[in-house]
Amino acid sequence: MKKRLYQSVIASYFREHSSIFLFIVVLFLMGVIFGAIVVNSMSFTQKENLFYYLSQFFGEVSDGKVAEENDLFIQSFFHNSKFIGLIWILGISIIGLPVILILLFVKGMVVGFTVGFLVSQMGWKGFMLAVVSILPQNLIIIPIFIIMASLSVIISLKMIKKQFMKKFAQPVLPLFKGYIFALIAAVILISAASGIEAYLSPWLMKTVISSI
């Protein structure tokens, strides 16, 4: 009974703020598209230099010379946790709203640039490398970023409303409790994504590099 109640509350929350979630998704996709466009605007020399360093990295992966799995896990976990933590903190500050949107756009741009560069330089082989090196962990990470950014925007708007429209403001404390729970859940899921990035992705990359 409680499970159904929670599901109903969550579904109702998403419906109520569907426009914000949709805006965040579109913003992220715009970042991805912009990142792919940036690749096409690079000069031949810039692409060649970047591809040289990328080839060296793939060579190290193929030879098993990348960092230890545990080190990769710690690096990935702390990097993504700091990003989520920053978005969370910005959500409870009135001036943090535009920064949240910029960070999400930049995140999308990085993904779009990485995939676009691999595909432009290596064709279908680059696409396969992008799939095995970027997709597995990002199936978890990207939805987390989008949801946390959306929640941060919602909280930030509530804070602004409470500050400047006190008569119509909703109580913030119940929302803040849910916001803390969302952060804890996000960190747990990030640890799972970091595990995939550290222990599965390098093996998949090595397999694909060896086959192509």
Side-chain angles (χ1 to χ4, degrees):
M1 188 69 181
K2 282 187 177 181
K3 186 178 179 181
R4 287 184 180 179
L5 180 62
Y6 287 136
Q7 288 175 343
S8 176
V9 170
I10 292 170
S12 176
Y13 185 84
F14 272 87
R15 282 195 300 270
E16 181 184 352
H17 301 98
S18 58
S19 59
I20 292 175
F21 283 99
L22 179 61
F23 172 74
I24 293 297
V25 170
V26 171
L27 181 67
F28 180 82
L29 291 176
M30 286 175 63
V32 173
I33 293 168
F34 185 78
I37 291 172
V38 169
V39 173
N40 294 325
S41 67
M42 292 173 67
S43 68
F44 177 78
T45 304
Q46 288 174 321
K47 288 182 179 179
E48 284 294 301
N49 289 338
L50 186 55
F51 186 67
Y52 170 74
Y53 291 113
L54 201 60
S55 299
Q56 284 189 319
F57 170 73
F58 287 143
E60 289 177 356
V61 171
S62 181
D63 296 336
K65 295 179 181 178
V66 292
E68 291 292 326
E69 287 89 349
N70 292 339
D71 293 334
L72 285 173
F73 174 82
I74 292 169
Q75 289 173 13
S76 173
F77 177 76
F78 279 104
H79 171 74
N80 291 312
S81 295
K82 283 189 288 186
F83 189 87
I84 285 293
L86 178 59
I87 288 178
W88 190 90
I89 291 169
L90 289 168
I92 56 177
S93 63
I94 294 175
I95 61 172
L97 180 58
V99 183
I100 295 168
L101 302 180
I102 292 169
L103 285 173
L104 190 73
F105 182 83
V106 170
K107 191 69 180 178
M109 191 175 72
V110 169
V111 173
F113 178 85
T114 306
V115 175
F117 182 79
L118 286 171
V119 172
S120 71
Q121 293 299 300
M122 302 177 66
W124 71 270
K125 295 178 182 178
F127 177 75
M128 288 300 298
L129 280 170
V131 167
V132 299
S133 64
I134 298 170
L135 183 63
Q137 62 269 22
N138 277 299
L139 286 174
I140 299 174
I141 291 172
I142 289 174
I144 291 172
F145 284 168
I146 288 173
I147 290 171
M148 284 304 299
S150 300
L151 294 177
S152 297
V153 168
I154 291 166
I155 287 287
S156 185
L157 290 173
K158 297 286 186 186
M159 297 284 286
I160 292 170
K161 192 174 181 180
K162 185 176 177 63
Q163 186 69 25
F164 297 105
M165 302 173 64
K166 295 182 180 180
K167 186 190 294 186
F168 305 102
Q170 292 178 320
V172 176
L173 187 59
L175 293 171
F176 189 69
K177 289 179 180 178
Y179 195 45
I180 294 173
F181 176 79
L183 177 64
I184 295 169
V187 171
I188 292 170
L189 289 171
I190 281 172
S191 66
S194 297
I196 292 171
E197 186 173 358
Y199 300 103
L200 179 62
S201 290
W203 177 80
L204 290 173
M205 287 175 64
K206 188 174 181 180
T207 303
V208 170
I209 291 168
S210 300
S211 64
I212 61 178

